[in-house]
């Protein structure tokens, strides 16, 4: 066996190796719809392979993806369990989803940590390296847990055996697989970072501490600049500072730069809303569910995770990640409904509702990014409106854009990764909703079309730069449990935007 590649808690190698010294492991194999096994798997199982057809008949196992056959103490093997996973697609003529398959394996393994996974199939995938990296990514994503504050973990959460999962790939050349998996490792780490940032409590994650965590990306070669309150005042970011003036936690803006492309190549830019806690300010939110507002920085978490992922795989692109970090609190210095502030652009904004604060943060950061860096495009992400949940639920993020090409590319990247977006309308009729009697614009257009009027507000601050706004209020936090994620914070958007960059903007 050649040198292995580490993927978090997983060890990846390109060949079937001798069984672990300990017999207390789980052996994972794959069967197709006809219960066919790969040649290397059949050889590794020996006489145990002959048990599968009879056991499948008794348990009605048909080899469909999502189904499993669990054999205890299989004859002829040292393993304590033989776990056979189906790989046949849900739809006739479809392709095996190796990303989902990885998540299903992690789910079926449960608390077992000592396992050998025979990545071998009766009909091998056309692109073995890509299939293996997708599988490994799914395994990593499903394995994430946020339990650092549980002082007494439940017994069911403890590993049966102390060792790492030993993931071995059979029947392929090592080099392309190792390269693909190494890049997936950084992507998985970026998603996990975004998840953890969203999950952290607001007494530990606030503008200053969030900025410090972003600063850690310098270890990967990312240039990180932290703008404090005096620097923001000097730039004229009065809209952003107005949101944070009611909190004892001072606001911050963090600019992260990954320079992986040609020196003179135009950068791509990503902007994230980072309201580390949103009480609503003077327009106080209802108490029920307010604890979830620790996740109102999901856009900033995604941008930070994305820059981590791009730097980890040495992406051949120049990328800007900018996050506006504030707390929206209701003390005596807090912004009031009726106040008028001047944004960095010079646009005056009437504050109608202090709970429509995220767009104020984004307004100044968007203007700064488009002015200072002249990017090829800007994508902003924000847990911006409850209205997008009413419109799209938690299946899609809302997509708003001034550029058809960028919107189409985001839609295609969403289809490929499963982080789906749905394009929403914009236009002059919605622009009228944010007209103010006393200032240039107001910060909310009212109850109807709330997500659209918020996007119209943001568009004011990008000039002619190709721009897309992703409203991720339904996807970044309190996300539904699925094959790839069981966490409250989903890390949504990191894989989508990494794919966007990889497919269209590198090189």
């Amino acid at each position: 066996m050649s040198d292995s590649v580490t993927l978090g808690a997983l060890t990846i190698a390109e060949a079937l190796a001798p069984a672990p010294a300990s017999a207390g492991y789980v052996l994972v194999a794959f069967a197709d719809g006809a219960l066919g096994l790969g040649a290397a798997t059949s050889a590794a199982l020996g006489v145990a392979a002959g048990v599968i057809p009879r056991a499948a008949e008794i348990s009605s196992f048909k080899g469909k993806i999502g189904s499993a056959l669990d054999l205890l103490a299989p004859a002829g093997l040292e393993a304590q369990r033989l776990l056979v996973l189906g790989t046949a697609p849900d739809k006739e003529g479809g392709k095996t989803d190796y990303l989902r398959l990885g998540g299903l394996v992690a789910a079926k393994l449960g608390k077992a940590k000592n396992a050998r996974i025979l990545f071998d199939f009766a009909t091998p995938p056309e692109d073995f390296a890509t299939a293996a990296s997708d599988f490994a990514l799914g395994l990593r994503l499903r394995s994430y847990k946020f339990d650092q504050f549980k002082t007494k973990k439940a017994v069911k959460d403890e590993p049966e055996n102390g060792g790492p999962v030993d993931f071995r790939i059979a029947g392929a050349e090592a080099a392309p697989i190792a390269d693909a998996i190494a890049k997936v490792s950084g992507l998985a780490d970026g998603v996990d970072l975004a998840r953890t940032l969203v999950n952290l409590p607001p007494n530990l994650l606030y503008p200053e501490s969030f900025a410090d965590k972003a600063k850690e990306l310098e270890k990967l070669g990312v240039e990180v600049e932290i703008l404090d309150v005096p620097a923001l005042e000097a730039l004229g970011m009065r809209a952003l500072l107005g949101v944070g003036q009611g909190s004892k936690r001072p606001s911050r803006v963090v600019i992260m730069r990954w320079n992986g492309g040609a020196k003179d190549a135009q950068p791509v830019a990503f902007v994230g809303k980072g309201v580390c806690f949103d009480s609503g300010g003077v327009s106080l939110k209802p108490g029920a569910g307010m604890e979830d507002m620790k996740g109102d920085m999901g856009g900033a978490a995604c941008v930070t995770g994305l820059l981590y992922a791009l730097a980890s795989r040495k992406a051949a692109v120049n990328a800007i990640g900018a996050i506006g970090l504030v707390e929206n609190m209701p003390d005596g210095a807090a912004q009031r409904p009726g106040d008028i502030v001047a944004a960095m652009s010079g646009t005056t904004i009437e504050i109608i509702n202090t709970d429509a604060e995220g767009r104020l943060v984004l307004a100044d950061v968007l203007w700064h990014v488009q002015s200072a860096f002249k990017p090829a495009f800007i994508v902003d992400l924000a847990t911006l409106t409850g209205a997008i949940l009413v419109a799209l639920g938690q299946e899609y993020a809302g997509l708003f854009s001034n550029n058809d090409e960028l919107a189409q590319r985001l839609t295609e990247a969403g289809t490929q990764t499963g982080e789906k977006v749905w394009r929403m309308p914009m236009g002059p009729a919605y622009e009228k909703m944010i007209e103010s009697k006393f200032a240039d614009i107001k910060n909310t257009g009212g109850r109807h079309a709330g997500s659209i009027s918020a996007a119209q507000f943001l568009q004011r601050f990008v000039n002619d730069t190709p721009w897309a706004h992703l409203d991720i209020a339904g996807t970044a936090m309190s996300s539904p449990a699925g094959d790839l994620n069981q966490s409250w914070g989903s890390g949504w958007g990191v894989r989508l935007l990494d794919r966007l960059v990889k497919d269209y903007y590198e090189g």
Side-chain angles (χ1 to χ4, degrees), residues 419-503:
E419 295 189 329
K420 298 177 289 187
V421 299
W422 190 271
R423 191 172 185 183
M424 303 287 284
M426 299 182 70
Y430 299 109
E431 185 78 12
K432 292 179 180 179
M433 297 175 68
I434 58 171
E435 291 178 355
S436 168
K437 294 179 182 179
F438 305 106
D440 296 327
I441 54 176
K442 56 186 179 180
N443 76 326
T444 176
R447 179 178 177 84
H448 295 162
S451 299
I452 302 173
S453 61
Q456 292 289 162
F457 181 98
L458 296 177
Q459 189 178 18
R460 290 274 190 129
F461 301 93
V462 296
N463 282 334
D464 295 325
T465 303
W467 158 82
H469 161 59
L470 298 177
D471 193 332
I472 59 174
T475 56
M477 58 181 176
S478 191
S479 50
D483 293 329
L484 300 178
N485 180 50
Q486 298 287 302
S487 168
W488 186 82
S490 65
W492 193 98
V494 176
R495 293 190 296 117
L496 166 74
L497 297 178
D498 179 78
R499 187 61 176 262
L500 175 73
V501 171
K502 182 179 179 181
D503 285 355

Side-chain angles (χ1 to χ4, degrees), residues 251-283:
S251 301
R252 295 287 187 266
V253 168
V254 180
I255 307 294
M256 298 167 279
R257 302 188 66 174
W258 168 249
N259 299 312
K263 187 175 182 180
D264 58 348
Q266 196 175 16
V268 298
F270 305 92
V271 172
K273 170 189 170 184
V275 180
C276 297
F277 185 77
D278 180 21
S279 69
V282 171
S283 304

Side-chain angles (χ1 to χ4, degrees), residues 26-291:
V26 181
L27 185 60
V28 180
F30 301 106
D32 61 19
L35 303 187
L37 305 173
T41 299
S42 295
L45 296 183
V47 297
V51 179
I52 293 175
R54 177 62 175 157
E57 180 181 357
I58 294 171
S59 61
S60 299
F61 175 70
K62 306 293 185 182
K64 288 288 186 181
I65 193 166
S67 63
L69 183 65
D70 199 352
L71 305 176
L72 302 180
L77 295 175
E78 293 185 12
Q80 62 181 12
R81 292 166 59 198
L82 170 59
L83 186 61
V84 184
L85 273 291
T87 62
D90 292 325
K91 297 179 180 179
E92 188 174 346
K95 294 184 178 180
T96 299
D97 185 342
Y98 293 99
L99 182 70
R100 181 188 175 199
L101 187 62
L104 291 169
V105 168
K108 296 297 183 183
L109 282 174
K111 61 182 178 177
K113 294 298 179 184
N114 191 357
R116 289 181 66 217
I117 304 171
L118 309 181
F119 197 76
D120 175 59
F121 305 88
T123 304
E126 294 179 7
D127 186 343
F128 197 89
T130 298
S133 62
D134 284 349
F135 176 81
L137 178 60
L139 197 62
R140 269 290 308 273
L141 293 177
R142 180 59 184 260
S143 299
Y144 172 86
K145 290 181 180 179
F146 184 79
D147 58 3
Q148 65 191 72
F149 298 108
K150 289 184 176 292
T151 57
K152 295 182 178 180
K153 296 182 175 64
V155 174
K156 64 182 179 63
D157 293 329
E158 292 296 322
E160 288 177 345
N161 303 287
V165 175
D166 196 10
F167 170 30
R168 302 183 183 276
I169 297 177
E173 296 180 9
I177 294 171
D179 182 61
I181 290 174
K183 291 179 179 178
V184 164
S185 178
L187 178 57
D189 288 340
V191 174
D192 284 358
L193 172 60
R195 288 172 170 175
T196 297
L197 289 169
V198 172
N199 285 329
L200 281 169
N203 60 316
L204 297 182
L205 191 77
Y206 43 88
E208 296 155 292
S209 63
F210 196 142
D212 290 340
K213 289 184 179 299
K215 188 75 171 174
E216 294 176 9
L217 269 63
E218 289 183 335
K219 299 173 184 177
L220 299 174
V222 178
E223 296 177 8
V224 181
E225 179 185 12
I226 299 174
L227 303 176
D228 60 11
V229 171
L232 300 176
E233 289 174 340
L235 286 170
M237 289 195 181
R238 291 172 291 271
L240 181 149
L241 288 169
V243 175
Q245 71 188 38
S247 172
K248 71 175 184 179
R249 304 287 193 184
S251 301
R252 295 287 187 266
V253 168
V254 180
I255 307 294
M256 298 167 279
R257 302 188 66 174
W258 168 249
N259 299 312
K263 187 175 182 180
D264 58 348
Q266 196 175 16
V268 298
F270 305 92
V271 172
K273 170 189 170 184
V275 180
C276 297
F277 185 77
D278 180 21
S279 69
V282 171
S283 304
L284 194 67
K285 291 178 179 291
M290 193 190 288
E291 68 275 9

Side-chain angles (χ1 to χ4, degrees), residues 266-271 306 310 317-321 366 369-370 373-381 401-403 405-407 409-410 462 464-470 496-506:
Q266 196 175 16
V268 298
F270 305 92
V271 172
L306 173 65
L310 294 177
V317 69
N318 296 332
I320 306 292
L366 285 168
V369 168
Q370 64 91 28
F373 302 109
K374 304 294 189 294
F377 70 78
I378 302 175
V379 175
D380 79 69
L381 302 97
S401 184
N402 65 1
N403 185 275
E405 181 180 68
L406 178 58
R409 289 176 174 182
L410 280 164
V462 296
D464 295 325
T465 303
W467 158 82
H469 161 59
L470 298 177
L496 166 74
L497 297 178
D498 179 78
R499 187 61 176 262
L500 175 73
V501 171
K502 182 179 179 181
D503 285 355
Y504 299 106
Y505 298 100
E506 285 196 61

